Amino acid sequence: RTITMGISLLDCAASTVEELNEKIYRKITSYAEIFSTGDAIGREFGVPIVNKRISVTPIALVGGSACKTEADFVSIAKTLDQAAREVGVNF
């Protein structure tokens, strides 16, 4: 009923927040097809997928090198929200 995809963002580390945000967005949206595969499996077995979730590496670990201010971490949160909307995640 729920699909949770775990994505390691450790390889997204960058020296600037802009580059970090771009890498995070690209990585999450590139994995979006997995959710459509989950929907197909749900239809095949008659078990609807009600919730779709993504679990990522703690952002403090990923953003540590690029983030200098609280606003930098907020920009990462906004990037995560944007990527979630793009791939249809609801949790």
Side-chain angles (χ1 to χ4, degrees):
R1 295 203 157 227
T2 298
I3 294 176
T4 302
M5 176 174 31
I7 300 175
S8 172
L9 299 179
L10 290 175
D11 61 342
C12 294
S15 58
T16 67
V17 176
E18 293 78 15
E19 183 182 3
L20 175 61
N21 281 328
E22 177 61 32
K23 287 181 172 184
I24 289 172
Y25 182 82
R26 232 179 310 128
K27 185 161 189 179
I28 291 173
T29 56
S30 72
Y31 282 85
E33 70 184 53
I34 292 173
F35 285 123
S36 62
T37 302
D39 289 336
I41 292 169
R43 282 191 301 277
E44 181 179 340
F45 292 102
V47 179
I49 304 303
V50 178
N51 299 310
K52 298 174 186 170
R53 305 181 303 183
I54 293 177
S55 173
V56 297
T57 305
I59 295 304
L61 295 176
V62 179
S65 62
C67 295
K68 307 297 183 227
T69 66
E70 291 175 5
D72 292 342
F73 283 102
V74 170
S75 75
I76 295 172
K78 289 179 179 180
T79 297
L80 291 170
D81 283 344
Q82 181 184 7
R85 280 191 301 276
E86 176 73 24
V87 300
V89 171
N90 51 13
F91 273 85

